[in-house]
Amino acid sequence: MCGIAGRTLNHPGSIGADLTAMMAAQRHRGSDSTGFALYREPLENAYVVRALLADRAHLEKDLEALRAVTREHGGDFVEDPTWDDSGQRHVLARFLVSDPEPFSDWVDACDGLERVELQSAGRALEIVKDLGDAHEVAAKHGVQEFVGTHGLGHVRLATESNVSPVAGHPFWARPFADVAIVHNGQLTNYYTWRRRLQRQGYRFTTENDSELIAVWNSDRMAAGDSLQQSLELSLRELDGVFTYLLATADGIALAKDRWAIKPVVAVVAPDGVAVATEEQSLRTLYQEEIDVEVNDGPSIVRIWPAASTVALPVAV
Amino acid sequence: VISLEESRPLSDGQVIRAADRPLREVNAEIRSAVAAGQHIRVTEPLSRHNLGVALPAGGSVTFDGSVGYYCGGLNNGATIAVTRNTGWGLGEAMASGQITVEGDAAMSVGASLRGGVIHVRGNAGPRCGVAMKGGLIVVEGSVGHACGFMAHGGRVICLGDTADAAGDSLWEGEIWVAGRIRGLGVDSRVEEPPAEDVAVVRKALAGVGLDDGGREWKRIVSAQALWHFESRDAQQWLMI
């Protein structure tokens, strides 16, 4: 089943708190794991990295290995890493790196380290996902305090693959900086596309079809498609029932399949945009009666830029 | 969870606040008031699911705002009103009673409806009347795709237009359309209804306060090709 949500704000604000509330209201749609893709205004000279380290007992050693790999690629840690103090065996660490080159080689080298898997890397993006409901995951990883421009949320009911902190959503479109996805649905031509993309050199860390959708769109855009073109093509090329939200550093976008099975509603409010599987999720942010865009129909594509990237009139 | 006996009786005109209260508690209060023949309002429904399900005959309840999925499901005689919009499955499997929606209703209005009346003043989403077995659905606006999908009985009256695949896999039952039929689904056909049936529909519309207004009715019914197994198709079936 799964529940998804997206949020943009016209001015940087409480993205983490908003998405936590929106996902808590959809808890009944999936209790296996909860995740967030959080975007702030892009850094200029560094990437922010979220990495899952499988064993807290080896934390310092594994962080050192990440630092060494980054140095081998011409970058370095810009500030000391931080991590959750949840006490769980696995650790979600966060650090900033100065630009490693080539970026995708550095990603491969990091993922190649024992007990390490990057969850996200980008100028603006941080993916936080873990086992537990929205409040539990938010509390473990300080999501409530995150101030940013836009983001995605997901609660997962695992149907196609394993329950683990790395199998939850959002998925990063490895190795494309700043692209993330949340998805509600199933692809039926998953293996066909996975094999094609693997032959092109892409590497998947899970057997989850959602990870593929993120890479699929990023590959189209790398080949020259606009976001709109890529999303529209996905309605024809990806087979199955799906509603997904794709985020880039510029904002969030929605695509819904031609069978119109998976619900999604949206509200365009004066302070920003909220999108979710269920309307009651939107109502955690908007208690007054609001006009909700109900997207029950088939073949829908929408793009909502985060307003911070839109040129605002400047007083002279 | 509170039992029905313990819940406080509410007098006519009394207001129940939904907001973030436990849904069972809210529904128990609604049910006990409606069973006692009272006419109540529910404030701050906040698009929550399963509000006012399985209500008995007697009184009425008005939801002040938008509700979520399955509002009025399994209704057994109550009169229900929603002042704004509803989510999926409005009045699912209702046996009797009346539901009126001032705004739009989302997917699967009156799914598996058995009796009673659902009246949507705005538009209805896809699969309106899916698998309905009886009863009446009146939509003043338009209906989404696959209206009446696999319906076994009952009647949908749409004063606006249909989307694609209207009457898809219709078994029995009827879809009356005053506007444009954008496309028919599998095994359905359009016919001009006889005057005596138009009179029945006119009466049904009058029952929800609507004037027939001399509309040009089209009636979508089953083409009945899927009713019977054709021996000449056997080879196709065996290939599956």
Side-chain angles (χ1 to χ4, degrees):
Chain A
M1 190 150 84
C2 298
I4 60 177
R7 176 74 166 145
T8 69
L9 287 173
N10 292 351
H11 303 286
S14 55
I15 282 293
D18 285 3
L19 283 168
T20 303
M22 292 176 81
M23 296 328 297
Q26 300 192 104
R27 183 175 182 271
H28 52 279
R29 297 192 69 91
S31 53
D32 291 326
S33 60
T34 307
F36 303 92
L38 305 164
Y39 289 80
R40 66 176 86 235
E41 286 173 290
L43 302 168
E44 281 186 13
N45 299 312
Y47 289 98
V48 56
V49 183
R50 288 278 188 167
L52 187 122
L53 312 177
D55 193 343
R56 200 169 291 265
H58 299 283
L59 174 62
E60 289 190 16
K61 189 168 72 178
D62 292 344
L63 285 171
E64 269 317 304
L66 275 165
R67 187 195 294 264
V69 161
T70 305
R71 283 179 175 159
E72 284 165 23
H73 290 80
D76 202 348
F77 282 16
V78 175
E79 58 184 50
D80 285 338
T82 56
W83 56 87
D84 68 282
D85 57 2
S86 66
Q88 300 174 130
R89 185 170 179 196
H90 62 268
V91 181
L92 202 54
R94 176 187 189 276
F95 49 92
L96 302 184
V97 298
S98 53
D99 293 9
E101 296 287 344
F103 184 74
S104 63
D105 287 1
W106 167 77
V107 172
D108 287 348
C110 291
D111 284 337
L113 294 170
E114 204 178 346
R115 297 181 297 272
V116 174
E117 185 181 305
L118 298 191
Q119 303 294 279
S120 69
R123 301 287 190 202
L125 165 68
E126 296 184 43
I127 288 180
V128 173
K129 55 185 178 182
D130 207 337
L131 306 183
D133 69 17
H135 288 301
E136 288 165 358
V137 174
K140 276 190 271 195
H141 303 293
V143 173
Q144 296 267 15
E145 294 76 38
F146 188 93
V147 172
T149 51
H150 58 291
L152 306 175
H154 189 273
V155 291
R156 177 164 187 250
L157 181 77
T159 55
E160 307 288 314
S161 61
N162 193 15
V163 174
S164 91
V166 291
H169 300 216
F171 283 104
W172 173 40
R174 175 180 276 100
F176 295 94
D178 289 312
V179 182
I181 195 168
V182 290
H183 165 220
N184 176 22
Q186 296 87 29
L187 294 192
T188 48
N189 59 350
Y190 165 67
Y191 284 104
T192 307
W193 272 115
R194 181 178 164 127
R195 283 191 290 267
R196 284 181 196 160
L197 289 168
Q198 281 175 325
R199 281 197 293 274
Q200 285 175 244
Y202 294 111
R203 190 166 49 77
F204 295 93
T205 60
T206 70
E207 297 196 338
N208 191 304
D209 49 5
S210 314
E211 185 185 14
L212 180 130
I213 303 174
V215 174
W216 189 94
N217 276 290
S218 302
D219 178 62
R220 291 304 316 168
M221 289 188 278
D225 277 5
S226 68
L227 176 59
Q228 177 85 24
Q229 287 169 331
S230 177
L231 295 171
E232 285 177 2
L233 188 65
S234 80
L235 303 189
R236 297 195 293 276
E237 294 290 337
L238 302 179
D239 190 37
V241 291
F242 55 82
T243 292
Y244 67 83
L245 293 168
L246 188 82
T248 67
D250 298 329
I252 64 175
L254 158 74
K256 181 175 177 181
D257 69 90
R258 61 200 138 140
W259 309 113
I261 300 294
K262 301 293 182 180
V264 62
V265 291
V267 58
V268 179
D271 63 334
V273 173
V275 196
T277 305
E278 295 185 6
E279 189 172 312
Q280 60 178 346
S281 171
L282 310 180
R283 301 298 296 279
T284 59
L285 305 182
Y286 301 102
Q287 276 92 41
E288 72 279 20
E289 292 295 329
I290 45 165
D291 286 326
V292 174
E293 178 187 309
V294 178
N295 294 302
D296 273 352
S299 302
I300 292 169
V301 167
R302 294 263 189 286
I303 296 174
W304 294 283
S308 64
T309 63
V310 175
L312 296 171
V314 180
V316 287
Chain B
V1 178
I2 57 170
S3 75
L4 294 183
E5 289 71 33
E6 284 167 357
S7 67
R8 194 162 47 91
L10 298 156
S11 62
D12 265 16
Q14 189 148 354
V15 170
I16 295 171
R17 181 173 166 271
D20 56 354
R21 295 176 58 214
L23 192 83
R24 283 169 190 261
E25 202 176 292
V26 173
N27 270 343
E29 288 178 8
I30 294 171
R31 184 188 299 201
S32 108
V34 169
Q38 294 169 1
H39 305 283
I40 56 166
R41 298 187 82 80
V42 175
T43 58
E44 296 179 70
L46 294 182
S47 309
R48 293 185 68 189
H49 302 332
N50 309 317
L51 283 164
V53 293
L55 295 180
S60 71
V61 53
T62 299
F63 293 99
D64 261 337
S66 292
V67 297
Y69 298 176
Y70 311 121
C71 179
L74 300 168
N75 186 22
N76 203 14
T79 301
I80 298 170
V82 180
T83 65
R84 280 182 60 92
N85 307 321
T86 80
W88 284 17
L90 172 73
E92 181 169 29
M94 173 163 83
S96 64
Q98 178 157 350
I99 302 176
T100 308
V101 178
E102 295 297 329
D104 297 334
M107 179 119 65
S108 301
V109 171
S112 298
L113 186 72
R114 292 184 169 272
V117 179
I118 298 178
H119 178 196
V120 179
R121 289 196 185 276
N123 302 312
R127 303 184 185 87
C128 174
V130 55
M132 65 191 286
K133 316 290 194 294
L136 171 67
I137 299 173
V138 178
V139 179
E140 292 191 36
S142 296
V143 293
H145 77 263
C147 174
F149 179 51
M150 292 187 77
H152 286 57
R155 182 179 287 126
V156 177
I157 304 175
C158 170
L159 302 190
D161 304 333
T162 79
D164 290 335
D168 193 90
S169 305
L170 195 62
W171 284 72
E172 288 196 62
E174 305 174 336
I175 305 165
W176 289 62
V177 184
R180 193 169 78 96
I181 297 171
R182 188 166 151 191
L184 284 178
V186 172
D187 200 31
S188 61
R189 64 182 175 86
V190 182
E191 62 181 20
E192 197 179 321
E196 61 266 31
D197 290 353
V198 174
V200 172
V201 162
R202 184 174 296 138
K203 199 174 162 198
L205 287 173
V208 294
L210 292 172
D211 179 12
D212 173 37
R215 293 181 171 85
E216 286 189 24
W217 290 109
K218 279 83 65 185
R219 180 165 68 177
I220 303 171
V221 294
S222 174
Q224 302 185 5
L226 296 176
W227 277 24
H228 307 289
F229 176 75
E230 300 258 358
S231 57
R232 65 174 177 227
D233 294 336
Q235 200 55 40
Q236 285 185 33
W237 287 102
L238 290 170
M239 282 168 67
I240 290 174

